[in-house]
Amino acid sequence: LSRRYDTKYSAWDPDQLKSAREDIKELLNFKFCHPILVRLGWHDVGTFNKNITVCPQRGGAIGSLIFEIELKHAANAGLVNALYLIKDIKEKYSRS
């Protein structure tokens, strides 16, 4: 199976991921938002298609729920609230 990955999606800084994880833990200690964040992750992963070999088109946990077309899908109703909760963390660790 041949896989091509765009480096934008595959080369993450482990220290930055660790820091983001700590920020998320802090958010969870401050606000009870565990269920909606789990749901956000679950629905993002649910876009995976094993028959597509090119990333990011194959879906999966790549953050596709930031796009309006995904958020408008009935199954994703309310997930915009989860995105709002993690907005500051996302911006802090944004890769331009």
Side-chain angles (χ1 to χ4, degrees):
L1 180 64
S2 171
R3 293 184 180 164
R4 290 186 359 214
Y5 293 98
D6 183 329
T7 56
K8 179 180 176 185
Y9 296 96
S10 61
W12 299 105
D13 176 354
D15 293 329
Q16 200 174 49
L17 286 174
K18 194 176 206 179
S19 295
R21 180 180 177 177
E22 293 304 314
D23 287 352
I24 291 170
K25 284 181 183 179
E26 187 175 321
L27 171 66
L28 294 172
N29 285 330
F30 173 73
K31 183 170 184 73
F32 183 76
C33 55
H34 304 66
I36 197 165
L37 293 182
V38 169
R39 185 170 166 247
L40 176 68
W42 178 263
H43 282 251
D44 190 37
V45 170
T47 64
F48 180 77
N49 183 336
K50 70 177 184 171
N51 297 319
I52 299 172
T53 60
V54 180
C55 182
Q57 291 85 350
R58 74 182 312 172
I62 59 169
S64 66
L65 290 176
I66 64 169
F67 300 111
E68 190 175 341
I69 192 165
E70 293 284 345
L71 286 173
K72 284 186 174 184
H73 190 283
N76 298 329
L79 289 178
V80 68
N81 297 320
L83 292 175
Y84 179 76
L85 286 169
I86 61 171
K87 180 182 176 210
D88 292 340
I89 297 169
K90 180 186 176 296
E91 288 175 0
K92 182 177 179 180
Y93 299 101
S94 179
R95 295 176 50 184
S96 303

